[in-house]
């Protein structure tokens, strides 16, 4: 059923009734789109649709969704007071009082145990990768989140480990170019996220102390440096992997064009200060979606044909 608007009092802003129950919303299913990164390694290798590979990749995706949900719940319990000062995060179920901290922690443990179980059953290296991700994120939430630069590195590692998980789950070797693109692509998104937060909220928002040590010029330098490195590394991979091109067309080289335009489009969102939530950009930016589909078509032709 469609969401129904509610108005608590005359003149109040209409608030839509959530479709999903609080425990599900607290697991942040919108952010699970990040876990699609586990498919990147088998896709780049042209082996995604092999039965064993796609099954392992699917299990890795589910396991990462559960592990990341567990971390989100733990983080929201720890940051409940700071989240209540944030213009958007204050509507999260735990910060809004819709889900108690104790039930949230129990749900986090259940998700974590099931996620790790799926990971170790699928492949021991995948289980180790998931455990490393969970440990790094918990340590980050407890001690490291307010340290500048380390903050960027740790959050970036979350994106990188998702990509690595797809490789170790399917037994596909990770190339040096892939690791460079994944590493600096992650840094590009995280630096852009912090830049957007700083630009839209300012250092006095009280939601993230590391923002007090950053400046817009520094974060702009970081995401521009990362974007340049990503583009160079991807281009080198594309030219190196042209192989015997179907119909004589260098498809991987052609994919550089939509890849570059997608970087520029995302950078436009960062510069405007609207890239605080990367998953929202991916789900709402139609130009970025079209460029992504075009890039995917070219890569699919290159690796499968």
């Amino acid at each position: 059923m469609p969401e129904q608007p509610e108005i608590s009092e005359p003149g109040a802003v209409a608030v839509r009734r959530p479709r999903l129950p609080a425990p599900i919303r607290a697991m942040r299913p919108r952010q699970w789109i990040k876990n699609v990164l586990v498919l990147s390694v088998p896709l780049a290798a042209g082996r995604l649709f092999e039965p064993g590979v796609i099954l392992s990749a699917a299990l890795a995706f589910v396991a990462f969704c559960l592990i990341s949900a567990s971390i989100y719940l733990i983080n929201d319990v720890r940051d409940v007071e700071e989240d209540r000062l944030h213009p958007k995060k204050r509507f999260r179920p735990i910060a809004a009082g819709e889900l108690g901290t104790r039930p949230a922690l129990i749900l986090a443990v259940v998700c974590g145990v099931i996620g790790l179980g799926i990971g170790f059953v699928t492949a021991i290296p995948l289980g180790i990768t998931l455990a490393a991700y969970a440990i790094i994120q918990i340590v980050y939430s407890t001690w490291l989140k307010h340290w500048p630069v380390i903050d960027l590195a740790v959050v970036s590692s979350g994106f990188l480990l998702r990509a690595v998980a797809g490789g170790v789950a399917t037994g596909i070797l990770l190339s040096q170019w892939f690791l460079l693109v994944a590493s600096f692509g992650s840094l590009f998104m995280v630096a852009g996220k912090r830049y957007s937060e700083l630009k839209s909220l300012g250092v006095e928002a009280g939601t993230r102390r590391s923002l007090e040590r950053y400046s817009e010029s520094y974060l702009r330098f970081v995401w521009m440096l990362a974007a340049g490195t990503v583009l160079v590394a991807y281009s080198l991979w594309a030219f190196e992997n042209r192989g015997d091109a179907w119909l004589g067309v260098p498809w991987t080289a052609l994919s550089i064009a939509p890849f570059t335009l997608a970087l520029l489009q995302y950078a436009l969102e960062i510069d405007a200060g609207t890239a605080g939530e990367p998953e929202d950009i991916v789900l709402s930016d139609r130009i970025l979606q079209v460029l992504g589909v075009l890039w995917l078509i070219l890569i699919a032709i290159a690796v499968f044909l």
Side-chain angles (χ1 to χ4, degrees):
M1 295 178 62
E3 297 175 350
Q4 298 296 324
E6 289 183 343
I7 299 180
S8 57
E9 58 185 30
V13 176
V15 178
R16 295 185 179 277
R17 182 183 295 113
R19 295 179 180 180
L20 298 175
I24 300 298
R25 284 186 286 117
M27 295 165 66
R28 304 191 206 173
R30 284 177 63 88
Q31 296 197 21
W32 293 352
I33 191 174
K34 300 173 186 175
N35 301 324
V36 175
L37 285 170
V38 303
L39 306 178
S40 57
V41 173
L43 173 64
R47 298 180 55 191
L48 179 60
F49 297 109
E50 295 178 12
V53 171
I54 194 170
L55 175 60
S56 297
L59 289 172
F61 173 81
V62 172
F64 235 111
C65 287
L66 290 168
I67 291 294
S68 59
S70 176
I71 299 301
Y72 294 146
L73 288 162
I74 293 172
N75 286 346
D76 285 356
V77 169
R78 290 190 55 84
D79 299 341
V80 62
E81 296 302 327
E82 291 181 353
D83 285 352
R84 286 171 179 163
L85 301 175
H86 194 282
K88 291 185 179 179
K89 294 180 181 179
R90 62 194 178 95
F91 295 112
R92 289 177 177 174
I94 297 174
E98 298 178 60
L99 179 65
T101 56
R102 183 179 178 84
L105 289 175
I106 294 174
L107 182 59
V109 171
V110 172
C111 290
V113 170
I114 296 175
L116 285 175
I118 293 174
F120 278 104
V121 169
T122 302
I124 292 179
L126 174 60
I128 294 173
T129 303
L130 291 167
Y133 169 82
I135 292 170
I136 291 171
Q137 295 301 316
I138 291 173
V139 172
Y140 167 76
S141 178
T142 306
W143 291 294
L144 302 178
K145 67 181 300 180
H146 299 303
W147 291 77
V149 183
I150 293 177
D151 159 63
L152 296 178
V154 173
V155 179
S156 298
S157 72
F159 290 93
L160 178 61
L161 286 174
R162 285 171 167 87
V164 170
V168 298
T170 56
I172 298 175
L173 183 65
L174 303 171
S175 73
Q176 58 183 353
W177 299 126
F178 177 85
L179 290 174
L180 277 173
V181 171
S183 299
F184 283 92
S186 301
L187 182 59
F188 169 68
M189 295 187 70
V190 174
K193 175 181 172 70
R194 292 289 178 266
Y195 179 87
S196 294
E197 290 174 342
L198 183 61
K199 189 168 183 177
S200 61
L201 299 175
V203 298
E204 304 299 331
T207 60
R208 193 180 299 276
R209 280 180 288 177
S210 63
L211 290 179
E212 298 174 3
R213 297 287 304 278
Y214 292 134
S215 66
E216 289 188 18
S217 59
Y218 173 77
L219 290 172
R220 179 184 289 273
F221 164 76
V222 174
W223 63 260
M224 291 177 66
L225 174 67
T229 305
V230 166
L231 183 56
V232 170
Y234 181 83
S235 298
L236 289 171
W237 170 83
F239 285 118
E240 191 176 273
N241 288 272
R242 286 181 294 178
D244 297 325
W246 182 57
L247 300 179
V249 178
W251 299 102
T252 55
L254 288 179
S255 72
I256 295 173
F259 185 87
T260 303
L261 292 175
L263 275 179
L264 293 175
Q265 179 66 20
Y266 195 88
L268 184 65
E269 299 287 353
I270 294 175
D271 192 58
T274 56
E277 298 294 340
E279 62 279 359
D280 289 344
I281 301 300
V282 173
L283 292 173
S284 62
D285 192 314
R286 294 292 178 260
I287 296 177
L288 193 62
Q289 291 170 359
V290 170
L291 291 170
V293 170
L294 179 57
W295 172 83
L296 190 60
I297 290 172
L298 292 174
I299 289 297
I301 293 173
V303 300
F304 294 115
L305 298 180

